[in-house]
Amino acid sequence: MSLAAYCVLCCRRIRTSAPTPKRHTYWREIRNIIKFTGSLILGGSLFLTYEVMALKKSLTLDTQVVEREKMKSYIYLHVASSDKGENHGIAWQARKELHKAVRRALAVAAKVLWNPFADTFSTVDVEDHECAMWLLLRKSKSEDRAVRLEAVQAMSQNHHWHDYQYRTVAQACDPRTLIGLARSKESDLRFFLPPPPLPSLKEDSSTEEELRQLLASLPQTELDECIQYFTSLALSESSQSLAAQKGGLWCFGGNGLPYAESFGEVPSATVEMFCLEAVVKHSEIPTHCDSIEANGGLQVLQRLYRLHKDYPKVQRNIMRVIANMALNEHLHPAIVHSGWVSIMAEALKSQHIMEASHAARTLANLDRDTVEEKYQDGVYVLHPQHRTSQPIKADVLFIHGLMGAAFKTWRQQDSERDLVEKAVEDEARYTTCWPKTWLARDCPALRIISVEYDTSLSDWRARCPMERKSIAFRSNELLRKLKAAGVGDRPIIWVSHSMGGLLVKKMLLEASKKPEMSSIINNTRGIIFYSVPHHGSRLAEYSVNVRYLLFPSLEVKELSKDSPALKILQDDFLEFAKDKNFQVLNFVETQPTYIGSMIKLHIVPVESADLGIGELIPVDVNHLNICKPKKKDAFLYQRTLQFIRESLAKDLEN
């Protein structure tokens, strides 16, 4: 208003002013015009400035409110932040500004590129600093495999995103990307949504009864005698367990479930474990995997997995079933949608080697983008367990012996372990699997595989009384599984203990007879034998009690010194190994081994461990510790490492 009044006053002065001399009128009018326009411009500028500031004040938004509104669109995961820079110090502020600059650069690059948000993202309204995230999501769905892998790797290395951005990726990514993130070592667990809620249990029902119903619903076709045995015994024992629980008593009868040697500490866990053993056997048959999925098995097993957090063996058997199901690609969507990828991603980060290795096998079978091989039951990759840019140049295969296992056979010698808790905290002091902890660090270019199979000393303690597998049968079975895992595509070193060495010899002889297995022979560079009874063992003549003497298992019978099959195997392999010029290293124990508390036996004497070729090294340990080095700088491990490096020297250099 004051501006308008001033303008009117100026105009009146111009009109009412007295006439002046003609020579001054022109310049006076110019001055008046300048005064008028200057005042108008100045006043207008002040007015516009005031209005802009008032408008800005009225439109200022609380950014925290905006962030909270954003959060409403996403599922919140109650996971502790993995960002160590939560303390807002100078370094954190500098990193934050650097991240902003990188985001702006990526956003500008995205805008310069031709049609960066085509198709799905072409109409998405995103902030500039979020363009990089959406661009990575789009690339992760590319038809170009290299572009997909690069995008997943870039996502896994992002540790500066906000929580809602991780949740955005978790909900927007496809199953292939989710599996890739799960197998990426640096991935944040916030990338993974929690599994969907499980259906409620029916009234008067339990997880044990659910598991029994699942087992009873599986087909009874294509079953060998052992699967039939496990199924019938598990159903019988679970029926008695349920009847006893409903009656308020526990029944210790049944068809012979050995509760004294039970897997769990409570009867229900024991029965569930027994049912799980049967489900594991069924999951080895592809058509039965379809039935497990169709009958809600993925949900039943997940409920059981959560319930038995304190029973690692139960959880490992459940993971075995899921990994077996993952061998069938048409079941991958069901496995992903049921939330198992999130569970496996967490298990893969476990400090416990067995748990992480079972999860690694499952995720490797799910990952068809970077893994061509399929890892069947009993074949575990110890290294690498994640996606890696490190080129793998050779395979080292570990085959355990009688009563051994894929992990416990290759642990560090037990006398070095002070406390179990310290073993978990400090792998430099004690390792539960030296091939994974020591060898993988010393030779990162190796793929390290450990194989597991069931053995027994006596038919009385056989896990399946009808299962009488000879060395020839087991070698063909393992050979088939190793071929499916891609063994033969790279140079190979075989590492074996006790009866495992006989299996290696038999596998190589069988592979030499099959043209499709010729690559295994051609790529075998060397073999390490830890106390392998090439000429037999007196183990078959001794045992803890009389029942083992009366009924030794088929494996033990084949280890006897007078076994014709063992002599034929030794003669054939010796001639074959000399012809192929295999590099061989033999270790042999010099101390006796205690069997039980009464009998002390030199299981493999020096003369039996002598293959006839290669170096023979006596070691002052017993049969059980011949493959368990006391520490990393012990002669036993260092000589093994030297042999592997020398045998693969040319392959590792290329």
Side-chain angles (χ1 to χ4, degrees):
M1 294 294 293
S2 59
L3 178 63
Y6 179 75
C7 293
V8 171
L9 183 61
C10 289
C11 292
R12 286 181 178 178
R13 285 180 178 177
I14 293 174
R15 290 198 300 267
T16 58
S17 57
T20 57
K22 198 171 186 179
R23 63 177 177 273
H24 300 294
T25 302
Y26 176 74
W27 294 107
R28 189 173 294 168
E29 288 179 355
I30 292 176
R31 284 198 300 272
N32 290 336
I33 292 172
I34 292 173
K35 289 179 181 180
F36 173 74
T37 55
S39 301
L40 184 63
I41 293 171
L42 179 61
S45 300
L46 292 173
F47 176 75
L48 290 174
T49 302
Y50 170 78
E51 291 295 331
V52 169
M53 292 180 66
L55 182 62
K56 180 180 179 181
K57 183 177 181 180
S58 64
L59 293 179
T60 300
L61 299 177
D62 185 352
T63 56
Q64 293 183 353
V65 174
V66 175
E67 291 297 322
R68 285 196 294 270
E69 289 299 317
K70 281 184 176 182
M71 301 288 280
K72 293 179 181 179
S73 301
Y74 304 100
I75 298 172
Y76 184 73
L77 296 181
H78 297 283
V79 180
S81 173
S82 64
D83 188 1
K84 298 180 181 179
E86 286 296 329
N87 296 325
H88 293 196
I90 297 176
W92 185 88
Q93 293 290 346
R95 285 173 52 202
K96 183 178 178 181
E97 294 301 322
L98 180 61
H99 291 157
K100 285 182 179 179
V102 172
R103 288 172 184 162
R104 285 195 294 268
L106 289 173
V108 171
K111 290 178 180 179
V112 171
L113 293 174
W114 175 77
N115 196 18
F117 298 110
D119 303 330
T120 308
F121 304 131
S122 59
T123 59
V124 175
D125 183 16
V126 295
E127 298 178 20
D128 288 346
H129 72 274
E130 293 182 346
C131 290
M133 178 192 70
W134 287 102
L135 184 58
L136 287 176
L137 271 171
R138 177 180 176 271
K139 285 183 174 180
S140 70
K141 299 182 180 181
S142 171
E143 295 297 325
D144 189 329
R145 177 178 172 275
V147 172
R148 288 198 307 270
L149 298 184
E150 182 183 356
V152 172
Q153 183 181 5
M155 274 192 272
S156 69
Q157 294 172 348
N158 272 307
H159 302 291
H160 60 271
W161 282 354
H162 298 294
D163 281 351
Y164 78 88
Q165 289 177 295
Y166 288 106
R167 295 181 207 112
T168 300
V169 174
Q171 294 178 96
C173 70
D174 57 8
R176 187 166 51 190
T177 302
L178 187 67
I179 294 167
L181 289 171
R183 293 197 69 235
S184 298
K185 190 173 184 178
E186 299 178 0
S187 286
D188 195 301
L189 288 178
R190 288 175 289 178
F191 278 120
F192 309 99
L193 298 175
L198 296 173
S200 302
L201 278 173
K202 298 177 182 179
E203 293 184 8
D204 299 329
S205 184
S206 64
T207 54
E208 181 184 332
E209 190 168 358
E210 273 193 336
L211 184 59
R212 181 186 181 280
Q213 290 174 355
L214 173 64
L215 183 58
S217 69
L218 298 180
Q220 298 302 310
T221 58
E222 304 180 55
L223 301 181
D224 61 24
E225 290 181 336
C226 275
I227 300 180
Q228 291 177 359
Y229 168 79
F230 273 110
T231 302
S232 62
L233 189 54
L235 291 176
S236 173
E237 294 293 341
S238 60
S239 296
Q240 295 187 42
S241 167
L242 293 171
Q245 289 174 17
K246 291 178 180 179
L249 298 172
W250 175 252
C251 176
F252 283 91
N255 293 335
L257 178 64
Y259 293 113
E261 301 166 6
S262 62
F263 296 106
E265 296 180 3
V266 295
S268 60
T270 301
V271 175
E272 287 171 352
M273 186 66 186
F274 211 57
C275 289
L276 269 177
E277 291 280 355
V279 175
V280 168
K281 295 292 183 181
H282 279 274
S283 68
E284 295 177 10
I285 304 173
T287 55
H288 291 209
C289 290
D290 296 339
S291 298
I292 293 174
E293 189 275 327
N295 291 297
L298 291 170
Q299 289 73 29
V300 172
L301 293 172
Q302 193 173 125
R303 192 193 309 278
L304 200 63
Y305 185 91
R306 296 179 186 179
L307 183 64
H308 291 292
K309 290 184 177 180
D310 297 328
Y311 292 91
K313 193 161 187 177
V314 171
Q315 290 193 327
R316 290 197 296 269
N317 266 342
I318 292 173
M319 286 194 277
R320 282 177 67 188
V321 176
I322 304 303
N324 289 343
M325 294 178 68
L327 292 168
N328 307 283
E329 293 188 33
H330 66 279
L331 293 178
H332 288 188
I335 295 173
V336 173
H337 294 153
S338 59
W340 277 106
V341 173
S342 302
I343 295 173
M344 296 299 168
E346 184 177 0
L348 186 59
K349 295 182 181 294
S350 172
Q351 291 181 320
H352 299 280
I353 291 177
M354 293 178 69
E355 182 182 358
S357 298
H358 279 274
R361 175 179 168 244
T362 304
L363 291 171
N365 285 339
L366 288 171
D367 186 6
R368 297 296 92 191
D369 232 9
T370 61
V371 182
E372 295 180 0
E373 303 85 4
K374 291 188 176 183
Y375 299 101
Q376 298 184 17
D377 194 37
V379 180
Y380 300 98
V381 177
L382 303 180
H383 174 80
Q385 293 186 338
H386 302 85
R387 284 188 176 182
T388 177
S389 57
Q390 168 75 51
I392 302 301
K393 299 181 178 180
D395 290 338
V396 178
L397 310 178
F398 287 82
I399 317 294
H400 67 78
L402 194 65
M403 301 297 292
F407 304 97
K408 73 176 185 179
T409 293
W410 312 106
R411 66 185 184 274
Q412 187 174 344
Q413 192 169 321
D414 294 334
S415 60
E416 285 294 308
R417 179 173 56 179
D418 297 324
L419 294 172
V420 174
E421 290 79 8
K422 289 185 179 180
V424 174
E425 296 173 3
D426 188 5
E427 287 186 343
R429 290 192 59 188
Y430 182 85
T431 175
T432 56
C433 186
W434 60 262
K436 182 183 187 306
T437 307
W438 297 345
L439 184 58
R441 291 177 183 173
D442 290 333
C443 300
L446 301 178
R447 181 177 66 157
I448 304 172
I449 292 177
S450 187
V451 173
E452 185 163 286
Y453 57 95
D454 296 331
T455 62
S456 59
L457 285 172
S458 165
D459 284 344
W460 282 86
R461 299 188 64 152
R463 301 182 69 196
C464 173
M466 286 80 84
E467 185 176 49
R468 300 181 61 83
K469 294 183 177 179
S470 64
I471 291 176
F473 180 90
R474 291 191 188 279
S475 64
N476 279 305
E477 186 179 47
L478 291 180
L479 195 60
R480 174 180 54 82
K481 290 183 177 182
L482 291 175
K483 186 63 177 178
V487 173
D489 297 339
R490 307 180 186 93
I492 306 168
I493 296 290
W494 302 83
V495 183
S496 60
H497 174 237
S498 190
M499 193 184 81
L502 304 181
L503 286 173
V504 170
K505 290 160 63 175
K506 189 64 176 177
M507 279 191 283
L508 290 173
L509 287 173
E510 291 297 321
S512 67
K513 301 173 185 177
K514 301 175 181 179
E516 66 274 14
M517 299 286 186
S518 60
S519 60
I520 294 179
I521 303 300
N522 297 333
N523 279 317
T524 293
R525 298 290 188 268
I527 312 170
I528 299 176
F529 294 111
Y530 289 109
S531 285
V532 174
H534 301 291
H535 303 281
S537 169
R538 297 186 66 193
L539 180 64
E541 303 172 20
Y542 292 87
S543 194
V544 178
N545 57 41
V546 177
R547 66 177 184 176
Y548 293 168
L549 292 174
L550 296 177
F551 300 101
S553 67
L554 183 59
E555 293 99 333
V556 173
K557 289 179 180 178
E558 289 190 321
L559 293 180
S560 62
K561 288 186 175 181
D562 57 352
S563 170
L566 194 62
K567 187 178 186 309
I568 294 172
L569 175 63
Q570 166 62 15
D571 294 341
D572 290 349
F573 183 78
L574 183 59
E575 182 181 356
F576 175 70
K578 288 180 178 179
D579 179 61
K580 295 296 182 181
N581 196 27
F582 291 150
Q583 299 298 308
V584 176
L585 177 63
N586 303 280
F587 292 100
V588 60
E589 79 250 24
T590 59
Q591 293 185 4
T593 303
Y594 279 95
I595 301 178
S597 58
M598 301 294 293
I599 299 177
K600 190 166 64 171
L601 176 66
H602 199 161
I603 296 177
V604 180
V606 174
E607 59 271 16
S608 182
D610 187 1
L611 177 64
I613 57 173
E615 185 180 3
L616 177 63
I617 303 177
V619 184
D620 192 25
V621 293
N622 62 27
H623 186 72
L624 297 179
N625 290 330
I626 188 66
C627 55
K628 299 175 180 63
K630 285 187 176 181
K631 48 188 176 179
K632 189 175 181 181
D633 59 358
F635 170 78
L636 195 59
Y637 172 72
Q638 290 299 323
R639 184 66 184 92
T640 298
L641 178 63
Q642 179 187 357
F643 178 84
I644 292 173
R645 283 175 168 169
E646 289 176 352
S647 301
L648 297 173
K650 294 181 179 179
D651 302 296
L652 295 178
E653 287 176 1
N654 293 333

